[in-house]
Amino acid sequence: MKPGEQKLGDTRGRFLQVIKNGREIHDVDWTSGRILLSNQRLILAGTAGKRTINLSQIKKFGGRYDVNQRIATVSDYFSIHIPSGVVLLAPVEYDEFETDFFGALLNSEQFLARHPAVAGGVVQNTEWEKTRLKVEEEAVSMATVGGKFVEIRLDDIGEVNTGERTIIDKQRSVIEVEHSDDEGTSLQTYISGSERSIGFLYTLLREGEELSETSIELSETDKQVLTALYSGVSPFDIPNFLGLDIDEVEELFQRLIDHNVVEEIRVRREVQLNARGRSIASDAINEQ
């Protein structure tokens, strides 16, 4: 290891280069070997030798490139974009290595954050603060210079958007991420940084958003209940609020719990919306 270099990951896996100098390679096959990761570089060691990729060379992360059947049959791989093309990695310990990889790309970067920018649907008068970020197994944690600690759980992300905002008289790339606090209050946190680091962070948060998305079919009554919860109605008041039978509401809550749309927080069927529920309720309100 070089001075100041720290090993972050060491696993077995497969790798290959699928695009080289702008051209797809269709007859390529996986190479098995060792995948090492530090805070400065990625090392791929196989039977044909060792290849080193400096993390600073990586321009983009993510996306599938199923150029042949041998690649398409592998479900867990990720792609990295470097000046010479695109390299695919399929580590044995995929989830753990991916967390380490995002950490290597993001943990040393500087960010600006507004938290909360929006709370309970109300815009807050918060200022941008310098922020350090840490990628963890199930969350992205941030600590601001003002002493705020923010945890964005990856399975509790309702929506992620990117755009441009004027920050300190300069146009900057910004991520707007919707999540919740420990009490279930819907929050929006704004995060800004370099275009490269924002791209990596957006990829990570989008993975979290996809965990929270749902394709289940809900009835109009289901949507009315979710909308009521989203608007702040107590779950105990749902029967009277919507004119429903108590037993019917109990069955409905159980169905929503089974579909991972709400979380049970008391045995008496007190529930609160999670990221999926907030997303569905928001869409239902917009459809009205």
Side-chain angles (χ1 to χ4, degrees), residues 213-254:
E213 290 176 345
T214 179
S215 60
I216 65 172
E217 293 188 7
L218 299 178
S219 68
E220 286 304 313
T221 303
D222 294 334
K223 292 179 181 180
Q224 287 175 6
V225 169
L226 293 176
T227 300
L229 291 171
Y230 189 79
S231 302
V233 177
S234 167
F236 300 118
D237 295 333
I238 290 293
N240 290 333
F241 185 78
L242 295 178
L244 301 174
D245 183 77
I246 293 177
D247 291 338
E248 181 183 0
V249 173
E250 287 287 315
E251 292 177 3
L252 188 151
F253 281 163
Q254 185 59 57

Side-chain angles (χ1 to χ4, degrees), residues 15-34:
F15 40 85
L16 56 85
Q17 183 157 352
V18 72
I19 295 180
K20 188 173 184 179
N21 299 324
R23 298 180 60 183
E24 289 188 351
I25 308 173
H26 293 275
D27 60 351
V28 70
D29 200 356
W30 294 101
T31 295
S32 296
R34 188 179 175 190

Side-chain angles (χ1 to χ4, degrees), residues 1-278:
M1 291 287 176
K2 300 177 181 179
E5 188 173 11
Q6 178 184 1
K7 186 169 77 171
L8 302 176
D10 186 350
T11 186
R12 304 291 299 179
R14 293 179 289 176
F15 40 85
L16 56 85
Q17 183 157 352
V18 72
I19 295 180
K20 188 173 184 179
N21 299 324
R23 298 180 60 183
E24 289 188 351
I25 308 173
H26 293 275
D27 60 351
V28 70
D29 200 356
W30 294 101
T31 295
S32 296
R34 188 179 175 190
I35 304 174
L36 297 96
L37 174 69
S38 78
N39 60 334
Q40 296 182 11
R41 54 187 172 152
L42 177 70
I43 300 174
L44 310 177
T47 55
K50 183 174 70 174
R51 180 176 187 177
T52 298
I53 300 173
N54 293 327
L55 298 188
S56 60
Q57 294 179 290
I58 299 174
K59 301 180 292 183
K60 185 181 175 183
F61 177 70
R64 291 191 65 88
Y65 290 84
D66 297 335
V67 297
N68 61 42
Q69 192 62 25
R70 291 184 294 273
I71 297 173
T73 55
V74 177
S75 59
D76 289 337
Y77 75 75
F78 54 79
S79 60
I80 57 173
H81 298 238
I82 57 177
S84 65
V86 177
V87 175
L88 307 186
L89 304 177
V92 172
E93 303 292 338
Y94 179 87
D95 291 336
E96 180 180 345
F97 193 86
E98 185 184 40
T99 298
D100 291 337
F101 197 81
F102 272 116
L105 293 171
L106 293 169
N107 288 354
S108 62
E109 297 294 315
Q110 290 190 349
F111 294 89
L112 293 169
R114 273 190 63 197
H115 175 82
V118 180
V122 180
V123 176
Q124 305 295 300
N125 188 27
T126 50
E127 300 292 334
W128 290 95
E129 295 184 86
K130 291 182 179 179
T131 303
R132 283 291 185 179
L133 178 150
K134 182 179 181 181
V135 177
E136 300 176 323
E137 183 178 355
E138 298 180 349
V140 173
S141 299
M142 297 188 299
T144 72
V145 295
K148 293 179 182 177
F149 177 78
V150 185
E151 182 182 60
I152 302 174
R153 297 188 303 277
L154 295 177
D155 64 351
D156 186 50
I157 294 175
E159 189 173 2
V160 183
N161 295 303
T162 58
E164 297 282 330
R165 285 181 177 268
T166 301
I167 305 172
I168 315 176
D169 299 327
K170 183 178 180 181
Q171 283 288 108
R172 299 175 186 263
S173 299
V174 174
I175 292 174
E176 301 175 2
V177 53
E178 191 269 337
H179 56 110
S180 63
D181 61 16
D182 293 336
E183 285 72 43
T185 302
S186 176
L187 305 175
Q188 287 186 33
T189 298
Y190 296 171
I191 308 168
S192 180
S194 69
E195 186 173 344
R196 178 175 179 269
S197 60
I198 286 297
F200 293 143
L201 181 58
Y202 178 73
T203 299
L204 173 59
L205 296 177
R206 272 290 295 139
E207 288 192 10
E209 183 185 27
E210 289 168 3
L211 290 174
S212 301
E213 290 176 345
T214 179
S215 60
I216 65 172
E217 293 188 7
L218 299 178
S219 68
E220 286 304 313
T221 303
D222 294 334
K223 292 179 181 180
Q224 287 175 6
V225 169
L226 293 176
T227 300
L229 291 171
Y230 189 79
S231 302
V233 177
S234 167
F236 300 118
D237 295 333
I238 290 293
N240 290 333
F241 185 78
L242 295 178
L244 301 174
D245 183 77
I246 293 177
D247 291 338
E248 181 183 0
V249 173
E250 287 287 315
E251 292 177 3
L252 188 151
F253 281 163
Q254 185 59 57
R255 184 167 65 254
L256 295 177
I257 290 169
D258 292 341
H259 284 304
N260 195 27
V261 173
V262 299
E263 301 166 348
E264 187 173 38
I265 60 176
R266 290 185 189 174
V267 177
R268 292 177 58 202
R269 283 293 184 271
E270 182 176 357
V271 297
Q272 67 181 22
L273 289 175
N274 59 18
R276 288 184 176 185
R278 292 194 303 272

